[in-house]
Amino acid sequence: MVPRRALRPCAKRSFLVACIAAVVEVVMKKEKYNPTVIEPKWQKKWEVDHLYHAREDDPRPKFYFLTMLPYTSGDLHIGHWYAMAPSDAKARYTRMKGYNVMFPIGFDAFGLPAEEAAIKHGIHPYKWTMANIERMRGQLKSMGAMWDWEREAITCDPSYYKWTQWFFLKFYEHGLAYRAMAPVDWCPHCNTSLAREQVWGEDRHCERCGTPVIKKDLEQWFFRITKYAEELLDFSKIDWPERVVTMQKNWIGRSEGVRFDLGIKGSPKKIPVFTTRPDTVFGMTFAVLSPEHPLVDELTTPEHRAEVEAYQFKARRMAEIDRLSTERERDGVFIGTYAINPMNGEEVPLYIADYVLMTYGTGAIMGVPAHDERDFDFARRYGLPIPVVIAPPDWDGQPLKAAYVGEGTMVNSGRFSGLSSREGWEAIADEMEQRGIGKREVQYRLHDWLISRQRYWGAPIPIVYCADCGIVPVPEDQLPVLLPQDAEFLPTGESPLKYHKEFLHTTCPCCGRPAERETDTMDTFMCSSWYHMRYTSPGYDKGPFDPVRYKYWMPVDQYTGGIEHATMHLLYTRFFTKACRDIGIVDHDEPMLRLFNQGIILGEDNEKMSKSRGNVVNPDEYVRTMGADTTRAYLMFIGPWDAGGPWSSRGIEGVHRFLHRVWDVVVNPAKPPEGQASPEEIAALRRMTHKTIRKVTDDMEAFRFNTAIAALMEMNNYLLKAKNTLVVHSEAWSEAVRSLILMLAPITPHLAEELWERIGGPYSVHTQPWPQWDEAAAAEEMVTLVVQVNGKVRDRLSVPAGLSEEKARELAFGSAKVQRYISDRDIVKTIYVPDALINIVVK
RNA sequence: GCCGAAGUGGCGGAAUGGUAUACGCGGCGGUCUCAAAAACCGCUGGGGGUCAACCCUGUGUGGGUUCGAAUCCCACCUUCGGCACCA
């Protein structure tokens, strides 16, 4: 409080004026909208009444509405609000439409930031995470969303990760989890390996910290997601945004081709290669192995060995360090051996080059410079011939200046010459298959999912390594493998588990002799791949979920969240479901039937919000000053939800004013003299009400919150004018007010509940059915008929709806404004769009 | 480079073949006030006009289809997002 004497004279005066105004208001009984009072009041009541607890014995059809769970980073920012408030509005709307809606919430609680905090501030990750959850719960509750808190799940809780480990064991048992030595992406800052999906951008940086990654050879655990590559390309059972579907398709990267064997001069060995262009095989003038190809050593002749090994060394260093160069030279080294083209018996030099990746196809390719850009560059560099075998449509027979990768007519291709490249593709593939030297094959870009993380704060991988028994899964009845509480966090970032003797040393579950535990933990995306399953029955302890309740709720009917998870969480969770189905744990194919991706909320300066830019919006502040309802409604009003957009502190004030005016319409209607409004006035009011219900219903269905709110604003503006007229005494007025409150309920739940109570509605507004519109009441009696001459608007006429064409034409031709443009011209024709427009075409 | 989305007043946006700019912000004018703020009421794309009627023009740029195009087609430009030698 400011001491009284600190007030300057003018401040003193305005204080007095404010006091007088307040007194006047009380005397006049004009009550003001006060969200800071009504919001906590209703939140408390809803909680006490378990208003949002979803039950399985409800007779209405079930609807599982889910929003991606938040990560326990510590503070709820406006981005969380943007993801959750509109989603809550849609869930509430769905409930009012007659569904038994479950809208759960939980926390994604494992992960690096907790561990970083431990290293930096000496606070245990568990404590840090739990404190954050406590704080976030309070912030989430201030939003007034209809979350069923009784279903809350926290992924770092042993009662949760026990089942994460259980899923791992099931996957292992069914051959879907395996351990392999592989060159993996390693973040030198986070000191852990990463899945391919977590490495981003041109410079291949770590998704979390931005540090460029390096390659490291490590023994790691993988999930066999590639087994599902083909099925994951099938989106026919789900209704997901095209954007996500495209991204997943590209990520999986299916390509059809032929795998065939190249011969080797002076050796019975074969080199399998993969190509998507078997039609170009006669244009092969060299072949290339990846530097890491297992045959390199054997096929390198002594006189080339030194050079080859130097290149291999260089390639390896490149893979580890030099990842920033975008303009990579396509160089390589001849290894002294010749490969044989099985189609024409030609001998071609065999190279190694780092543009051929060991991780795709067979790690070896045929080099067809005329019809592949990379091969073209390579052949140019080493002076290799570039014969054309697919003639471009208007080819003049001259050497190509660039690779031609399109379709054309086959030339210089033996008996295949003259075929179109498309026909030749099939013909050559057929011949290779008949001769037993090749086979049609589908390749995917997708790699298996690397789940090992060399960090502490994750679910331990339930595996024991025994000198005698090898890899031994921890038996189910010994789950969970608990994370030790007393771990030491080293600033080197190395996993504390490695140095925790009691954790590391154990006995083999198989033979009972001393053995060591796996010290890596699981990728947190493993935890979030099944959290939606857990929500169906969170306390259940005989399995990850209660099969009966699971069957009732699953699959998720509507999922919402950010697009950034398109090729990570959203792909993993689909894989997870399919894997569980094949194991027999679940009986459906897809986890989430419909998906909606919200956009990103930007700072007031139209830039991405960040502390360094100083453009971060704190939702708590707005909740304190303007209320949660205003903040919710404003976020929905900014623009289309999937587009995101910049925050505006002026914009939110506009929405706040709107809510004040709603309050004014409902709580403080004027008192016009007694009397009856005219039938026309009543019809007009009803038209407004029913048109608005129709518009808002359509918009809510399609997630168009911005235009729904605009329609409610229009209706309220109408009511503000009407409230001084006699219509306030009519049933149409009560209907209008009721409808307005009901339509606001999903968007501004506290305000709606308060107003609903004040008009005497039965508690709660959120259990009321959504209002229905009457098409007849919504229909316009008079419409504006636009009169055009040659497509230019020349007049606007107010006419009764449903006007006949003849009558419309008569009126249009009767218009003086129109006559000016048609009087001395020939009328070619008229076009009539009922209740909208008439266009007179003249010459 | 390839793939995808999008370009509309001063700003966020609305309109997906038929009145361009709904709704909100901002701005201008007014009411209330000693004054200001708040609130409320008007006006508000640009240019012209005897500032009235009215006219011209206008949805990234240039073409096209159509009686009529922000909307459909072609080419280009810009911005954002995804992919990164995937044979």
Side-chain angles (χ1 to χ4, degrees):
Chain A
M1 274 297 276
V2 183
R4 284 301 308 272
R5 65 175 181 279
L7 296 172
R8 283 173 296 123
C10 68
K12 211 180 228 170
R13 198 166 53 196
S14 55
F15 177 78
L16 258 167
V17 169
C19 287
I20 292 164
V23 168
V24 167
E25 211 136 77
V26 169
V27 169
M28 290 179 69
K29 290 228 172 67
K30 208 172 169 191
E31 229 188 307
K32 272 200 155 173
Y33 169 45
N34 190 350
T36 51
V37 172
I38 65 166
E39 290 182 355
K41 178 181 89 182
W42 289 113
Q43 283 166 18
K44 206 169 184 183
K45 177 145 176 66
W46 295 332
E47 191 167 348
V48 168
D49 296 341
H50 302 268
L51 190 66
Y52 303 125
H53 179 51
R55 303 172 54 104
E56 289 81 21
D57 57 4
D58 193 293
R60 295 171 295 178
K62 73 94 183 177
F63 196 100
Y64 188 171
F65 202 111
L66 183 64
T67 293
M68 288 179 190
L69 82 179
Y71 180 72
T72 51
S73 52
D75 240 323
L76 209 66
H77 53 78
I78 201 74
H80 286 116
W81 273 72
Y82 195 60
M84 294 169 168
S87 146
D88 174 59
K90 184 67 190 270
R92 287 176 175 279
Y93 165 79
T94 308
R95 178 171 157 155
M96 290 176 82
K97 286 293 277 187
Y99 291 91
N100 181 29
V101 177
M102 167 166 67
F103 190 50
I105 182 93
F107 296 95
D108 184 18
F110 270 138
L112 279 172
E115 203 162 338
E116 233 99 272
I119 294 163
K120 224 169 156 183
H121 306 116
I123 175 168
H124 193 277
Y126 183 81
K127 268 199 173 151
W128 185 84
T129 303
M130 284 310 178
N132 286 347
I133 289 176
E134 202 44 49
R135 182 176 167 72
M136 290 172 80
R137 267 200 206 112
Q139 291 173 310
L140 286 165
K141 286 183 178 176
S142 78
M143 196 185 292
M146 60 171 275
W147 285 306
D148 184 351
W149 285 96
E150 291 161 60
R151 293 177 184 270
E152 184 195 66
I154 299 172
T155 61
C156 71
D157 194 290
S159 70
Y160 184 93
Y161 72 70
K162 170 180 179 177
W163 301 109
T164 308
Q165 293 173 337
W166 180 86
F167 279 113
F168 177 93
L169 292 178
K170 290 288 160 195
F171 283 20
Y172 180 71
E173 205 177 290
H174 289 81
L176 293 170
Y178 66 94
R179 189 169 159 82
M181 170 72 92
V184 298
D185 292 308
W186 177 270
C187 172
H189 178 256
C190 299
N191 273 298
T192 186
S193 56
L194 300 169
R196 267 175 64 88
E197 293 81 355
Q198 290 159 12
V199 181
W200 288 10
E202 209 171 299
D203 60 346
R204 316 302 303 134
H205 65 263
C206 168
E207 170 238 345
R208 279 214 180 273
C209 72
T211 311
V213 302
I214 59 173
K215 285 278 180 196
K216 232 183 179 179
D217 277 324
L218 282 176
E219 281 265 339
Q220 305 269 285
W221 283 96
F222 292 88
F223 281 165
R224 228 179 272 285
I225 190 171
T226 52
K227 190 184 164 194
Y228 293 90
E230 196 60 45
E231 198 192 337
L232 286 167
L233 285 167
D234 176 13
F235 295 89
S236 63
K237 290 177 184 134
I238 49 179
D239 180 13
W240 282 21
E242 207 43 52
R243 227 174 4 153
V244 175
V245 170
T246 306
M247 280 168 78
Q248 291 203 349
K249 278 184 180 165
N250 291 344
W251 186 258
I252 295 165
R254 182 185 202 274
S255 42
E256 287 179 16
V258 173
R259 176 207 281 257
F260 70 97
D261 290 332
L262 297 178
I264 298 167
K265 189 182 176 189
S267 162
K269 290 236 171 202
K270 305 277 186 207
I271 301 169
V273 295
F274 176 75
T275 180
T276 55
R277 292 298 302 272
D279 52 316
T280 66
V281 69
F282 285 87
M284 168 162 57
T285 55
F286 59 96
V288 189
L289 299 175
S290 163
E292 302 96 54
H293 197 284
L295 284 174
V296 174
D297 224 26
E298 191 182 332
L299 298 180
T300 302
T301 56
E303 59 273 27
H304 289 90
R305 188 158 301 274
E307 209 188 339
V308 165
E309 281 175 0
Y311 186 86
Q312 284 179 310
F313 181 74
K314 189 187 113 193
R316 174 129 203 97
R317 296 240 344 133
M318 288 272 285
E320 278 178 12
I321 319 157
D322 189 19
R323 304 208 134 254
L324 278 162
S325 62
T326 36
E327 271 306 303
R328 271 167 267 194
E329 297 165 38
R330 283 193 240 292
D331 64 352
V333 172
F334 176 50
I335 68 169
T337 303
Y338 290 83
I340 299 160
N341 182 343
M343 294 304 288
N344 58 10
E346 256 176 48
E347 293 172 7
V348 297
L350 188 55
Y351 286 77
I352 58 169
D354 64 4
Y355 80 87
V356 176
L357 309 173
M358 198 54 228
T359 49
Y360 185 80
T362 61
I365 59 153
M366 63 173 190
V368 182
H371 307 294
D372 181 281
E373 278 161 34
R374 294 149 304 177
D375 295 348
F376 187 87
D377 289 351
F378 192 84
R380 271 263 181 101
R381 187 180 176 109
Y382 296 105
L384 295 159
I386 307 177
V388 174
V389 291
I390 306 292
D394 46 6
W395 185 47
D396 55 6
Q398 293 302 301
L400 297 174
K401 289 189 179 67
Y404 175 72
V405 297
E407 292 183 4
T409 307
M410 293 177 67
V411 292
N412 302 320
S413 298
R415 66 183 185 81
F416 298 96
S417 294
L419 293 179
S420 74
S421 51
R422 213 180 283 203
E423 294 163 333
W425 200 108
E426 300 295 341
I428 289 176
D430 284 345
E431 168 144 340
M432 284 177 169
E433 287 186 346
Q434 273 157 29
R435 285 174 47 194
I437 54 169
K439 205 167 168 32
R440 283 181 171 83
E441 198 176 84
V442 176
Q443 281 285 336
Y444 302 93
R445 220 182 58 104
L446 182 72
H447 287 50
D448 277 339
W449 174 15
L450 167 67
I451 58 141
S452 301
R453 295 293 178 274
Q454 292 67 41
R455 299 304 300 248
Y456 166 79
W457 193 235
I461 295 174
I463 288 287
V464 168
Y465 300 104
C466 170
D468 298 309
C469 312
I471 297 173
V472 183
V474 173
E476 238 177 80
D477 58 13
Q478 288 175 29
L479 294 182
V481 176
L482 284 171
L483 269 178
Q485 285 286 321
D486 54 346
E488 278 239 32
F489 296 91
L490 306 167
T492 58
E494 274 201 276
S495 174
L497 291 180
K498 243 168 138 176
Y499 301 96
H500 193 284
K501 292 212 163 54
E502 290 97 289
F503 180 85
L504 179 68
H505 300 294
T506 184
T507 51
C508 171
C510 216
C511 66
R513 271 181 285 211
E516 287 192 358
R517 282 191 193 281
E518 167 71 66
T519 57
D520 285 353
T521 53
M522 287 185 244
D523 182 2
T524 53
F525 279 115
M526 174 87 187
C527 310
S528 55
S529 288
W530 72 280
Y531 76 107
H532 55 288
M533 302 179 175
R534 187 68 180 165
Y535 284 148
T536 62
S537 45
Y540 196 69
D541 61 0
K542 295 182 193 67
F545 50 78
D546 171 355
V548 176
R549 286 188 275 170
Y550 184 97
K551 205 164 172 61
Y552 177 78
W553 289 113
M554 283 293 289
V556 173
D557 295 282
Q558 177 68 58
Y559 198 35
T560 73
I563 186 98
E564 66 273 17
H565 291 296
T567 57
M568 296 195 286
H569 164 61
L570 290 171
L571 193 61
Y572 297 146
T573 192
R574 291 183 67 215
F575 153 71
F576 211 90
T577 303
K578 292 169 197 303
C580 284
R581 177 203 58 200
D582 289 350
I583 293 169
I585 301 169
V586 306
D587 63 358
H588 56 104
D589 304 316
E590 295 283 355
M592 294 107 185
L593 302 181
R594 275 184 296 272
L595 173 69
F596 190 96
N597 296 116
Q598 81 273 2
I600 297 167
I601 186 99
L602 302 171
E604 205 135 11
D605 53 1
N606 230 315
E607 301 283 341
K608 213 178 153 193
M609 279 191 203
S610 72
K611 278 190 190 134
S612 59
R613 277 204 186 87
N615 61 354
V616 176
V617 170
N618 178 2
D620 296 354
E621 238 168 70
Y622 283 95
V623 171
R624 208 158 40 236
T625 55
M626 294 191 200
D629 282 340
T630 296
T631 311
R632 293 167 58 103
Y634 173 61
L635 288 168
M636 290 180 234
F637 185 64
I638 288 177
W641 194 28
D642 52 354
W647 176 269
S648 159
S649 48
R650 305 308 296 262
I652 190 171
E653 281 174 38
V655 171
H656 192 55
R657 281 198 282 267
F658 161 61
L659 298 187
H660 265 105
R661 287 192 289 260
V662 170
W663 179 276
D664 224 37
V665 162
V666 179
V667 178
N668 304 316
K671 301 239 169 6
E674 284 301 315
Q676 277 211 327
S678 71
E680 288 76 28
E681 281 176 291
I682 291 186
L685 174 58
R686 293 203 72 218
R687 194 175 308 126
M688 173 49 80
T689 302
H690 288 267
K691 261 169 63 180
T692 306
I693 297 173
R694 183 172 62 193
K695 168 77 177 149
V696 173
T697 305
D698 282 356
D699 285 346
M700 291 302 287
E701 284 294 335
F703 296 91
R704 287 190 300 253
F705 307 108
N706 57 328
T707 47
I709 294 171
L712 291 169
M713 284 174 168
E714 271 182 87
M715 176 169 172
N716 196 59
N717 288 344
Y718 186 93
L719 297 184
L720 274 169
K721 288 204 172 89
K723 81 170 188 167
N724 298 314
T725 71
L726 292 173
V727 290
V728 294
H729 303 306
S730 69
E731 163 54 26
W733 175 263
S734 314
E735 179 195 49
V737 168
R738 266 200 318 273
S739 307
L740 179 67
I741 296 171
L742 288 170
M743 287 189 281
L744 278 166
I747 298 162
T748 57
H750 314 87
L751 172 64
E753 190 78 286
E754 178 73 21
L755 294 177
W756 188 251
E757 187 187 58
R758 280 164 186 263
I759 65 162
Y763 177 79
S764 155
V765 72
H766 301 297
T767 54
Q768 302 304 312
W770 184 254
Q772 303 226 326
W773 75 90
D774 174 347
E775 200 62 58
E780 297 286 351
E781 280 166 19
M782 298 296 283
V783 294
T784 304
L785 182 72
V786 172
V787 186
Q788 297 183 335
V789 177
N790 285 349
K792 276 186 196 284
V793 178
R794 295 303 179 190
D795 202 1
R796 294 181 172 94
L797 306 171
S798 185
V799 301
L803 196 70
S804 71
E805 182 163 359
E806 295 92 291
K807 200 88 185 120
R809 209 180 298 185
E810 213 171 280
L811 284 169
F813 282 100
S815 158
K817 290 174 185 170
V818 172
Q819 272 301 325
R820 280 224 307 251
Y821 294 92
I822 60 172
S823 55
D824 54 349
R825 312 259 204 126
D826 292 337
I827 284 119
V828 180
K829 61 174 167 177
T830 59
I831 284 124
Y832 180 57
V833 183
D835 293 346
L837 170 143
I838 182 158
N839 187 12
I840 303 164
V841 185
V842 297
K843 232 182 359 194

